[in-house]
Amino acid sequence: MDENTKQKLEKRLGKTAFLKRLHVHSKLDKISRHSSLCYRLFRHTLLLILRFTGLYQHGYEEFKNIRVVHKKWSLPKLPAEFNGYKLLQLTDLHLCLDQGRIAKSLSKILPHVHADACVFTGDFSNGAISKDNECNNRISLATQKELEKITDMVECEKYGVLGNHDHIDLVDTIEATGIQLLLNETIILKKGGDQIFLSGVDDASFFKSHDLDKASEGVPKDAFSILLSHTPEIYKIAQEKNYDIMLSGHTHGGQICLPGGRHIKASNCHSGAVSRSWFYKSLQGYTSPGTGACKLPIRICCPPEITIHEFIKTSIAKA
């Protein structure tokens, strides 16, 4: 990364968050070696169990079968012009896990989906994060190739945040596909004479480089605001910052679940925020179970999805 790129990223992320990113990057070789060993052991064990039980092929077919989920929000605070506004969410694509599969599956869906804007809530890449620039370049090129196919199918403005699998070097790669990343940043979405604020924070789960103070700067307390965060675990801070909606991914909804979709293990957040709709005081949230998969291209009792969020302005009920 050249000095000019470092300066730009420091400005966008904020100095403290950028230094946290660099600090983790400086330890990536050691972290990657340990993670790689754990990953191989976990993957090998899981493969044996799934193949022995005959569940692998079933899980792979479920992985390929991406659903379209419609989520309607009742929002008294929503500006009138945004009534009926549709926001498409894709998350945890983990591109290159099964080369070309996600783009192929989405090619049957996205051309028929119409939305006002689209958000990607992190984990574009499935590659191991490394200090090795050659390795990162291979991941970057493979990710960009498939991501371009996907973004070409989405005919609206596109925004996103990075996840714990996304190296900082992917910023230019992702933005070259037409996705504007929000690195502890906020943009204003306008419709008619109304506006809503859309914020995005950097990864809070692995890099700890999120900065909600910076992201929420300039967002009026009475404004309608949406926060994109790869992980839902910062829901308490999001509520304190007066966000109305928080959209996340990261948990995969468990990915391999018990019948009925009950997760076995998921992220560091209260159990209600692991998958789909949840509430915390004044904050409404949605944690997508993800569009792709991680470690293995399988899903069991936890189908992948893209989500169409439709905002409906409702009246405030009188007591």
Side-chain angles (χ1 to χ4, degrees):
M1 185 188 303
D2 60 40
E3 194 60 35
N4 186 47
T5 301
K6 284 184 179 180
Q7 290 177 4
K8 287 181 180 179
L9 289 173
E10 181 179 325
K11 183 177 181 180
R12 292 182 64 181
L13 282 161
K15 187 173 182 178
T16 300
F18 182 65
L19 290 176
K20 285 182 179 179
R21 267 271 187 181
L22 290 186
H23 178 68
V24 175
H25 284 311
S26 70
K27 297 182 176 181
L28 283 179
D29 279 348
K30 183 177 180 180
I31 294 171
S32 294
R33 284 195 297 271
H34 179 263
S35 298
S36 180
L37 178 61
C38 293
Y39 167 75
R40 288 197 299 270
L41 180 60
F42 172 82
R43 189 176 188 277
H44 181 69
T45 303
L46 188 57
L47 270 172
L48 285 175
I49 294 171
L50 292 171
R51 285 179 173 153
F52 179 76
T53 58
L55 286 173
Y56 186 88
Q57 188 59 36
H58 169 77
Y60 182 61
E61 291 302 318
E62 192 166 333
F63 160 73
K64 295 190 294 182
N65 188 24
I66 300 171
R67 304 188 308 167
V68 179
V69 174
H70 295 260
K71 159 68 179 172
K72 286 193 175 184
W73 300 75
S74 297
L75 304 163
K77 191 178 168 183
L78 183 74
E81 290 285 350
F82 283 87
N83 184 43
Y85 191 86
K86 292 182 179 179
L87 191 65
L88 172 65
Q89 181 187 10
L90 291 84
T91 190
D92 297 273
L93 295 169
H94 290 281
L95 301 172
C96 309
L97 173 63
D98 184 21
Q99 186 68 50
R101 168 47 58 186
I102 296 296
K104 185 175 182 179
S105 295
L106 289 175
S107 68
K108 302 173 185 176
I109 302 171
L110 289 179
H112 308 290
V113 171
H114 302 285
D116 295 283
C118 177
V119 295
F120 295 78
T121 44
D123 275 1
F124 296 89
S125 177
N126 189 62
I129 300 172
S130 172
K131 285 176 68 178
D132 182 348
N133 286 332
E134 185 178 345
C135 174
N136 289 329
N137 286 338
R138 288 196 301 271
I139 294 168
S140 178
L141 289 171
T143 299
Q144 183 177 21
K145 185 177 180 181
E146 189 164 2
L147 188 57
E148 282 175 346
K149 293 179 181 179
I150 294 169
T151 55
D152 284 346
M153 304 175 205
V154 181
E155 296 183 355
C156 58
E157 295 296 318
K158 296 170 277 286
Y159 307 96
V161 293
L162 297 177
N164 58 295
H165 277 259
D166 299 325
H167 195 284
I168 195 67
D169 288 346
L170 280 175
V171 170
D172 287 344
T173 295
I174 293 168
E175 294 197 323
T177 69
I179 299 170
Q180 180 180 344
L181 289 175
L182 301 176
L183 308 176
N184 299 326
E185 298 169 307
T186 295
I187 55 132
I188 300 174
L189 302 177
K190 297 181 179 181
K191 191 173 183 183
D194 288 334
Q195 60 185 25
I196 61 178
F197 291 78
L198 178 68
S199 301
V201 289
D202 200 37
D203 175 56
S205 60
F206 179 65
F207 291 103
K208 307 294 184 185
S209 46
H210 58 295
D211 187 343
L212 267 80
D213 288 333
K214 181 179 180 300
S216 61
E217 281 179 358
V219 180
K221 287 188 176 180
D222 60 346
F224 187 88
S225 55
I226 302 169
L227 176 66
L228 307 180
S229 170
H230 177 58
T231 172
E233 64 194 81
I234 56 171
Y235 65 93
K236 290 183 179 180
I237 310 173
Q239 189 275 329
E240 291 170 1
K241 294 295 182 182
N242 296 304
Y243 283 99
D244 296 286
I245 290 175
M246 180 175 171
L247 302 180
S248 301
H250 183 57
T251 67
H252 295 217
Q255 189 167 319
I256 298 176
C257 295
L258 299 173
R262 184 175 180 181
H263 62 273
I264 301 169
K265 185 180 185 302
S267 182
N268 298 323
C269 56
H270 74 77
S271 59
V274 169
S275 187
R276 301 191 173 88
S277 299
W278 51 269
F279 295 84
Y280 177 71
K281 297 183 179 179
S282 60
L283 177 68
Q284 296 189 61
Y286 190 89
T287 304
S288 169
T291 310
C294 189
K295 294 183 174 65
L296 289 172
I298 58 167
R299 281 183 170 269
I300 296 175
C301 298
C302 184
E305 72 175 56
I306 64 168
T307 318
I308 301 173
H309 301 279
E310 184 175 0
F311 300 158
I312 306 297
K313 183 172 178 62
T314 54
S315 301
I316 299 175
K318 294 182 180 180

